[in-house]
Amino acid sequence: MECKVNRRDKEKEYEGKHNSLEDADPGKNCKSSLMTLNVGGYLYITQKQTLTKYPDTFLEGIVNGKILCPFDADGHYFIDRDGLLFRHVLNFLRNGELLLPEGFRENQLLAQEAEFFQLKGLAEEVKSRWEKEQLTSRETTFLEITDNHDRSQGLRIFCNAPDFISKIKSRIVLVSKSRLDGFPEEFSVSSNIIQFKYFIKSENGTRLVLKEDNTFVCTLETLKFEAIMMALRCGFRLLTSLDCSKGSIVHSDALHFIK
């Protein structure tokens, strides 16, 4: 004889197990406030109050029994959506704002998830973020590399694209490894500028910045060369070069790039 159990019966059975545990323990049972969701094959454990933070949403409907949701083989609620993107949906419920990792490029997919889960606030933030990225992509990107040959100023790399500044910083760290004592104090970094203000003095008085190994010394010109090569690899075009009388763009006091 084939035994059929409908969705509501299984839900009652699942809730009954948790209720029996609460009856056995009259103290505060935190498990009763937790829910495990299977979203596209990814398991997420969170509190019911997180899922019900905003009324009249898909998740709030599941928790409060307004929406019937299927179960997986282990008795967890199963939602057939993008399991990886649900991480950002859940973080939005936890934080009340959209916080995405650097370089996130799945705005349209996340907008669809926000629509499915009926989260208007998330949908609006995703739309705003996407519009800002579109505006930024249409803007001209400028890069300026200047060397004032002065301890108070030193080498200055400016770019209105923060991601390029991050790449430059990563490259400098990669070259230096752990060979430079007090490395963080050697330069200041903001979202748009890297500025070298102080320099290590070698035994013979040469101005130094980085040490790649025990024998090779990386000069300020080498740092400029690294920045120039990275700019060219990233699609920047050299616009102007001031004071090229020294015969090399690396020795120029100011370089301007555009993309």
Side-chain angles (χ1 to χ4, degrees), residues 36-52:
T36 300
L37 302 177
N38 181 343
V39 184
Y42 290 81
L43 295 182
Y44 291 90
I45 301 177
T46 186
Q47 294 184 354
K48 291 181 180 180
Q49 65 183 33
T50 301
L51 300 177
T52 58

Side-chain angles (χ1 to χ4, degrees), residues 143-197:
L143 169 64
E144 179 184 68
I145 303 174
T146 57
D147 181 7
N148 293 318
H149 305 285
D150 186 292
R151 281 179 59 86
S152 63
Q153 297 296 325
L155 178 65
R156 180 178 182 272
I157 302 173
F158 166 83
C159 185
N160 61 340
D163 59 335
F164 182 78
I165 291 295
S166 297
K167 289 180 181 179
I168 290 287
K169 178 185 176 183
S170 298
R171 177 58 183 165
I172 292 172
V173 173
L174 179 64
V175 171
S176 68
K177 295 294 185 182
S178 60
R179 298 296 185 182
L180 184 65
D181 295 332
F183 177 69
E185 287 77 28
E186 290 303 307
F187 65 92
S188 60
V189 181
S190 69
S191 61
N192 296 110
I193 298 174
I194 295 181
Q195 186 162 354
F196 294 82
K197 296 182 177 181

Side-chain angles (χ1 to χ4, degrees), residues 18-254:
H18 286 278
N19 291 334
S20 64
L21 289 175
E22 291 183 26
D23 294 339
D25 184 2
K28 185 177 180 181
N29 191 343
C30 64
K31 290 184 179 180
S32 63
S33 66
L34 299 180
M35 283 188 66
T36 300
L37 302 177
N38 181 343
V39 184
Y42 290 81
L43 295 182
Y44 291 90
I45 301 177
T46 186
Q47 294 184 354
K48 291 181 180 180
Q49 65 183 33
T50 301
L51 300 177
T52 58
K53 185 173 184 177
Y54 299 102
D56 302 322
T57 64
F58 181 84
L59 294 170
E60 185 270 337
I62 290 178
V63 174
N64 293 327
K66 303 174 185 177
I67 298 176
L68 293 179
C69 182
F71 293 87
D72 64 11
D74 296 319
H76 306 309
Y77 288 104
F78 177 76
I79 304 175
D80 190 16
R81 300 300 297 181
D82 192 316
L84 287 175
L85 284 179
F86 186 73
R87 163 196 174 194
H88 306 302
V89 175
L90 190 56
N91 280 335
F92 174 79
L93 293 174
R94 290 165 173 162
N95 302 315
E97 61 179 324
L98 180 62
L99 301 172
L100 296 173
E102 183 178 350
F104 183 82
R105 291 293 182 269
E106 297 183 309
N107 292 305
Q108 290 182 316
L109 289 175
L110 185 55
Q112 291 181 346
E113 298 305 298
E115 182 179 354
F116 174 83
F117 289 105
Q118 302 169 11
L119 289 166
K120 294 181 180 179
L122 176 58
E124 291 174 356
E125 290 205 34
V126 174
K127 179 181 179 182
S128 176
R129 184 180 189 275
W130 183 81
E131 290 176 346
K132 288 180 181 178
E133 287 185 354
Q134 292 297 305
L135 181 61
T136 301
S137 66
R138 291 193 293 268
E139 293 179 349
T140 302
T141 304
F142 298 96
L143 169 64
E144 179 184 68
I145 303 174
T146 57
D147 181 7
N148 293 318
H149 305 285
D150 186 292
R151 281 179 59 86
S152 63
Q153 297 296 325
L155 178 65
R156 180 178 182 272
I157 302 173
F158 166 83
C159 185
N160 61 340
D163 59 335
F164 182 78
I165 291 295
S166 297
K167 289 180 181 179
I168 290 287
K169 178 185 176 183
S170 298
R171 177 58 183 165
I172 292 172
V173 173
L174 179 64
V175 171
S176 68
K177 295 294 185 182
S178 60
R179 298 296 185 182
L180 184 65
D181 295 332
F183 177 69
E185 287 77 28
E186 290 303 307
F187 65 92
S188 60
V189 181
S190 69
S191 61
N192 296 110
I193 298 174
I194 295 181
Q195 186 162 354
F196 294 82
K197 296 182 177 181
Y198 307 102
F199 304 97
I200 295 176
K201 294 287 185 177
S202 66
E203 293 181 358
N204 60 5
T206 304
R207 187 174 66 171
L208 308 179
V209 179
L210 301 178
K211 293 181 180 180
E212 186 175 5
D213 55 42
N214 291 329
T215 58
F216 177 74
V217 171
C218 183
T219 64
L220 196 63
E221 284 69 26
T222 304
L223 287 181
K224 292 167 67 176
F225 178 77
E226 290 285 349
I228 292 169
M229 293 303 297
M230 181 168 290
L232 296 176
R233 286 195 296 268
C234 291
F236 282 92
R237 176 172 56 89
L238 181 61
L239 186 63
T240 61
S241 172
L242 305 181
D243 188 20
C244 288
S245 59
K246 297 179 181 179
S248 170
I249 62 173
V250 174
H251 294 94
S252 299
D253 290 338

